[in-house]
Amino acid sequence: MSQIEEQEIKYLKGVGPKRAELLEKELGIRTCRDLLYLFPYKYIDRSKIYPIKEIDSNQTYIQVKGKITHFRIEGQRYKQRLVAVFKDGTGALELVWFQGTQWVTKNYQPNVEYIVFGRPSIYNGRLSIAHPEIEVPSPDDSLLSTQLQPQYSTTEKLKTYFFTSRTIHRLLAQVLTTIRLDETLPDYLVSRLKLVSRDEAIRNMHFPENTEHLRKATYRLKFEELFYIQLNILLQKSRRQFWSKGFVFSRVGDYLNNFYKTRLAFELTEAQKRVIREIRKDIGSGKQMNRLLQGDVGSGKTLVALMAMLIALDNGFQACLMAPTEILANQHFTTISRFVEGMGVSVLLLTGSTKKGERQQLHEQLRSGSLHILIGTHALIEDTVQFNNLGLVIIDEQHRFGVAQRARLWKKTDNYPHVLVMTATPIPRTLAMTLYGDLDVSVIDELPPGRKPIKTIHYYESKRLVLFGFLRNQIKSGRQMYIVYPLIKESEKLDYLALEEGYEAIVRAFPPPEFVVVCVHGKMKAEDKEAGMQLFIKGKAHIMVATTVIEVGVDVPNASVMVIENAERFGLTQLHQLRGRVGRGADQSYCILMSSYKLSNEARKRLGILVETNDGFAIAEADLKLRGPGDIEGTQQSGIPFDLKIANLGQDGQILQYARDMAGQVLENDSILEKPQNAILRKQLTAMTRSSVDWSTIS
Ligand code: ADP
Ligand code: MG
């Protein structure tokens, strides 16, 4: 990277230390390079000037040409605003300022022709533009007056210092007229993939000659961004495979065979069989397995995991399973113990509530090797937990474990155990390639036979009586149901209030002794919570009113209705998770989304998607598109820099796949990037990862 790019922007004309400080604080821009990579969030076609009479407040951005007729001050003393009436011969609108009014009246005069840009809105019944950008029409300002005018996001604070999108654009003009940017991809890639040079790309981002140039520039920069991420991940993967020898599980012995022959009351689905084959291939290869197993709730992942563990046992190794919550660990423990009962497999549970005495015994059995399978929460990663010969780690992840936590489990043995990460929240492919890019991926995309797809219905509040009637009918035919309330930290107090009121209303509608309603939430004492859960699990309670504590919790096949209150407040994947709590038995199951009439567009879309599909992958993709990857739980812990500057994982799946393929090809020809033509790749990777943790030994 050239020296000039590293130069601080405070040395640019018109910036100076004070504005530089502001820019760094508000936008994180310190160097010229930072500035060059501040890409416009959109481009406006500035060849179009609107007549005022054609403008309405639905337009996001407009450009008008005319004159200010007069200024006036409106409002009370401390809430004054400056208003200018602006006319163009077809109509009038108002320009409004809340701050910096002196500067405005000093710099703009009535009866001078201006071009005004901004977002129109209706205020007090009149069309107005708040804090508009104003300029004098100037035919000769050629560099800045391209037809595609880039728009940079600024902040309110910057705007009050008159640091607008336009100001940023001017600074970029200053920088780009003085330097040529170095290439950051090897020449052979640039020419083979027909990419534009970095210099051309960045220039065109800020000063696009036309849409075609802009498209090529965007493509080149997106490709580069995704390419380096993939190169980094794949390089780590090839290093790890080089350094760590995997245990070879070559035998299929009595444990698995007995289990298969005597314990399985059903046929495995084709998807389960395929995944087991994939796993067996990995663990027999002499390389360490690192596999991600994706599949919707109830698709039979746990069973696959159990079979993998039995193979480990057949080869003389121990196995462990780590779950994100105590409830889930308990549940895994119960299921697995039941499955292997009488087979001579010893299974124990370790969680935060395991008593000290039990714990000591457990530790001893673990060290001596007489304990085969250990199931638990993150209590498993404590240093005191030492295995005799851990061969396989299963992580039921649900997005809750960070990469670093996973790494601590690996480190429990000299040689890395095989690792299988299960996730019930399907991750869109693009995100998986990035978050878990060094893991191989298996997918169970088929539910066990006989399951009826869950029917999802969206009701507004007015249908509450209909809902209660429906629930009563379901109870009469022997079903149980959940009613879930949102609980969010920021509004915890109010949320608990709503839960309590809701609970009381439900008890009134479903009074004892005919009906039994239990309430379960995170603030209850553990015993009370457990007692409530047990009543429900044993079928003695008809309705469980709960917060999201049940999201990953209970497994009650007889529960066939999930009612989600204030459904608009939940995220898509969370709603899908909750819905996955029903539909486990043979009966028709229902998910009912209750919401108020007031819905944001996004919430309406979310609920619509859920009503439309049961496919977890489709939902995950939609979620990524609606929210972007930054918000998706778990991305923060990935260890991979996620502040993508230009690429978008929701939209650029194809470029991502291509970038990954290209990175793979590069490494195929030069596995540790030692050839001279790849020196540039090495240099870039080092610069990229210098400041971050060394994740190469981790996942
Ligand atoms: P997941 O872990 O993916 O949520 P589980 O492994 O817990 O799914 O399976 C859900 C339920 O389906 C369990 O009761 C399990 O015994 C059952 N199951 C798993 N595989 C099959 C299959 N092939 N046929 C019928 N039932 C199955
Ligand atoms: Mg499960």
Side-chain angles (χ1 to χ4, degrees), residues 76-109:
Q76 301 299 322
R77 257 172 83 191
Y78 295 104
K79 283 191 174 171
Q80 279 185 351
R81 58 186 179 271
L82 175 68
V83 177
V85 177
F86 187 83
K87 291 185 178 166
D88 74 346
T90 73
L93 54 72
E94 292 183 351
L95 311 177
V96 183
W97 291 268
F98 301 95
Q99 274 152 333
T101 54
Q102 283 190 354
W103 191 92
V104 173
T105 43
K106 218 169 87 196
N107 282 276
Y108 300 117
Q109 280 83 41

Side-chain angles (χ1 to χ4, degrees), residues 162-278:
F162 295 96
F163 221 112
T164 60
S165 175
R166 198 116 182 111
T167 328
I168 291 172
H169 202 209
R170 286 215 178 83
L171 286 181
L172 278 158
Q174 204 188 127
V175 174
L176 283 169
T177 44
T178 55
I179 58 174
R180 270 213 92 66
L181 301 170
D182 294 340
E183 187 46 70
T184 43
L185 285 170
D187 292 339
Y188 74 91
L189 270 184
V190 174
S191 58
R192 223 184 82 205
L193 308 185
K194 299 199 173 62
L195 301 173
V196 297
S197 71
R198 173 162 174 263
D199 184 76
E200 198 182 332
I202 293 200
R203 247 168 240 285
N204 268 291
M205 289 306 291
H206 301 295
F207 300 94
E209 274 176 49
N210 54 42
T211 46
E212 184 55 17
H213 277 74
L214 179 60
R215 194 187 58 76
K216 284 187 174 150
T218 312
Y219 183 83
R220 139 90 208 209
L221 293 168
K222 284 183 172 182
F223 174 84
E224 176 172 359
E225 189 166 48
L226 296 169
F227 173 80
Y228 272 109
I229 290 176
Q230 291 303 318
L231 188 68
N232 192 31
I233 295 170
L234 294 176
L235 188 65
Q236 288 171 16
K237 180 175 174 178
S238 77
R239 276 201 203 123
R240 191 187 54 223
Q241 289 193 332
F242 182 79
W243 288 112
S244 72
K245 300 261 168 300
F247 301 122
V248 181
F249 295 176
S250 52
R251 281 164 47 86
V252 168
D254 291 345
Y255 287 125
L256 186 66
N257 280 330
N258 281 342
F259 176 78
Y260 201 82
K261 280 183 201 135
T262 65
R263 301 299 159 112
L264 270 191
F266 43 74
E267 183 71 15
L268 293 179
T269 62
E270 285 308 312
Q272 283 171 316
K273 286 183 194 162
R274 185 185 65 235
V275 170
I276 288 171
R277 276 199 299 277
E278 285 165 354

Side-chain angles (χ1 to χ4, degrees), residues 320 322 326 349-356 359-360 362-363 366-367 374 376-387 390 401 404-413:
C320 72
M322 182 159 79
E326 207 160 295
L349 176 70
L350 177 65
T351 66
S353 18
T354 309
K355 304 233 162 56
K356 214 171 156 205
R359 214 173 258 253
Q360 251 153 17
L362 182 148
H363 285 163
L366 202 56
R367 271 195 299 271
L374 180 61
T377 52
H378 50 263
L380 297 195
I381 58 183
E382 283 164 21
D383 291 333
T384 46
V385 180
Q386 293 294 332
F387 291 81
L390 178 61
F401 291 111
Q405 276 177 310
R406 273 193 256 150
R408 286 183 62 187
L409 260 174
W410 294 204
K411 283 186 184 142
K412 288 192 175 291
T413 48

